Amino acid sequence: MTTSYKDLLKQREALEQQISEARRRELSDAVAQVRSLIAEYGLTAQDVFPSGRSSTRASTSGTKVAPKYRNPATGQTWTGRGKAPKWIQNESREKFAI
């Protein structure tokens, strides 16, 4: 016995409704469990959802780097990162090394 296209569509619609209801129930249970754990351990949003930066990047980003080069005429310094300043371009960097 073959099932007609319309019957299959009705079955799919019924299944999608069952899936939606099961998901809603399970999400409700999961949220209740999470809230219980947060209350039990006194967690904060920061504990559960840290700032989003990876720990290695967060520890190095924004830190100052010691300068490697100094312009003896003006005292300006450069770390050696990024675009080189005009006073060191086309020059031997050894004579500017700190």
Side-chain angles (χ1 to χ4, degrees), residues 11-27:
Q11 288 176 8
R12 180 174 73 178
E13 186 177 323
L15 276 174
E16 286 174 351
Q17 287 177 351
Q18 289 176 357
I19 290 169
S20 176
E21 180 60 27
R23 184 176 193 283
R24 188 193 61 74
R25 263 193 328 270
E26 290 181 21
L27 281 176

Side-chain angles (χ1 to χ4, degrees), residues 19-95:
I19 290 169
S20 176
E21 180 60 27
R23 184 176 193 283
R24 188 193 61 74
R25 263 193 328 270
E26 290 181 21
L27 281 176
S28 177
D29 293 345
V31 168
Q33 184 179 6
V34 168
R35 286 182 177 157
S36 171
L37 289 171
I38 288 172
E40 180 179 347
Y41 291 100
L43 299 173
T44 65
Q46 184 64 28
D47 293 332
V48 178
F49 303 106
S51 66
R53 290 184 171 183
S54 66
S55 60
T56 56
R57 180 171 171 89
S59 65
T60 60
S61 66
T63 58
K64 297 261 182 186
V65 177
K68 291 183 180 181
Y69 306 100
R70 181 181 318 277
N71 182 349
T74 64
Q76 291 178 315
T77 59
W78 179 52
T79 62
R81 294 184 176 182
K83 185 177 178 184
K86 290 187 180 204
W87 53 264
I88 203 169
Q89 289 178 352
N90 303 322
E91 298 284 337
S92 171
R93 293 187 179 170
E94 292 174 4
K95 64 182 180 181

